[in-house]
Amino acid sequence: MEKLSDDFNKRFLDLDENYKVIKNNIAEAAIKFGRKPEDIILLAATKTVPIEIINHGINLGIEHIGENKVQELTEKYDSYDLSKCELQFIGHLQTNKVKYLIGKVAMIQSVDSMKLAREISRLSLSHNVKTDILIEVNIGKEPNKSGIIPEKLNDLLYETATLPAINISGLMAIPPADANKRDTFNYFTNMYKYFIDISSKKLDNVNMQFLSMGMSADYADAISAGSNMVRIGSALFGPRIYNKKI
Ligand SMILES: *Cc1c(COP(=O)(O)O)cnc(C)c1O
């Protein structure tokens, strides 16, 4: 028991420090891009992170948390301190699991097909809610990766915009993990172009509020390229510890 609480104490202290550093880095990058620091949303990516640590982060001021597995989100759901924070879904989502999320999450960031969007809309309608979604773009056109390829983005956008119970609130992307710094920056820049281009179309039901890109290794570059929402896991919480009971 003592071992466990020592471990937690260290993780709390690390999180205090990491949060401060990241907030500073975000502010610096925002100003470089000509934005206000408070215009950039820090979303904590909390996969594998124990609920005590997550709630400590919420107490520090983290207002957005994102899970990427439906089962993990469901298991933790009753324990998140959601009075000061909203929950989002950021991972790959199967159509048959949408039912576990509707009414629980403020936004689903990973919509990449009409089939998925239709199910989100259908279940939202039956819950009498509207669900905010981001369209996930496979910006590196990687095979076997989630996200719609850029060439098909407009078609998916026009189609999903017809659905009654979703709001299209922006775009999300995860560039190829093995890309170098310059290529990654170019992927971010291309995403920003799509984001601006779609914003200018002023489509009904499409409100380009969020450009969600940038993770622990590259969030400052993402912000410098136009991201206004970064999803940060390990830089906040330390390395992920898998197969440990949450
Ligand atoms: C885990 C995860 C992140 C955060 O990754 P880190 O590199 O640990 O910051 C961001 N986005 C998604 C979709 C994730 O699953």
Side-chain angles (χ1 to χ4, degrees), residues 4-168:
L4 187 69
S5 64
D6 282 356
D7 183 45
F8 267 57
N9 276 335
K10 179 167 181 340
R11 291 190 70 175
F12 287 152
L13 292 172
D14 287 348
L15 177 54
D16 294 348
E17 180 59 26
N18 295 340
Y19 179 68
K20 251 190 272 170
V21 170
I22 289 168
K23 288 293 273 188
N24 272 329
N25 292 342
I26 288 175
E28 258 175 43
I31 288 163
K32 245 197 253 169
F33 191 73
R35 280 210 167 104
K36 291 192 247 101
E38 61 268 27
D39 291 345
I40 312 296
I41 292 175
L42 166 59
L43 176 139
T46 51
K47 57 178 171 275
T48 76
V49 179
I51 192 72
E52 293 87 346
I53 313 270
I54 297 174
N55 285 338
H56 184 75
I58 294 171
N59 267 325
L60 292 177
I62 293 171
E63 294 175 326
H64 306 268
I65 51 183
E67 291 287 354
N68 80 326
K69 293 223 160 56
V70 172
Q71 191 187 337
E72 186 172 346
L73 182 149
T74 308
E75 283 171 11
K76 291 171 170 173
Y77 184 73
D78 288 330
S79 309
Y80 298 115
D81 184 359
L82 292 178
S83 61
K84 287 176 272 178
C85 176
E86 62 163 46
L87 186 57
Q88 302 196 15
F89 190 76
I90 60 175
H92 177 68
L93 181 57
Q94 288 168 289
T95 307
N96 64 356
K97 297 211 171 143
V98 173
K99 58 175 179 275
Y100 300 114
L101 299 182
I102 300 304
K104 288 199 171 79
V105 297
M107 189 151 80
I108 297 174
Q109 293 212 3
S110 39
V111 177
D112 61 359
S113 73
M114 187 57 185
K115 183 172 171 236
L116 180 58
R118 203 181 284 122
E119 181 67 355
I120 294 170
S121 179
R122 185 182 76 80
L123 289 171
S124 299
L125 206 57
S126 72
H127 280 73
N128 216 4
V129 295
K130 266 201 162 188
T131 302
D132 291 345
I133 65 160
L134 304 183
I135 306 272
E136 181 176 355
V137 182
N138 181 355
I139 189 64
K141 296 201 232 178
E142 294 169 274
N144 309 319
K145 178 136 167 189
S146 307
I148 186 87
I149 59 166
E151 287 78 3
K152 294 188 176 162
L153 173 58
N154 273 334
D155 286 349
L156 180 62
L157 196 75
Y158 287 120
E159 257 193 299
T160 47
T162 63
L163 294 167
I166 58 172
N167 298 311
I168 302 163

Side-chain angles (χ1 to χ4, degrees), residues 185-201:
F185 192 82
N186 287 336
Y187 287 125
F188 289 147
T189 302
N190 288 339
M191 282 300 299
Y192 184 66
K193 284 186 194 141
Y194 295 125
F195 183 74
I196 293 300
D197 180 49
I198 295 165
S199 307
S200 70
K201 292 186 204 291

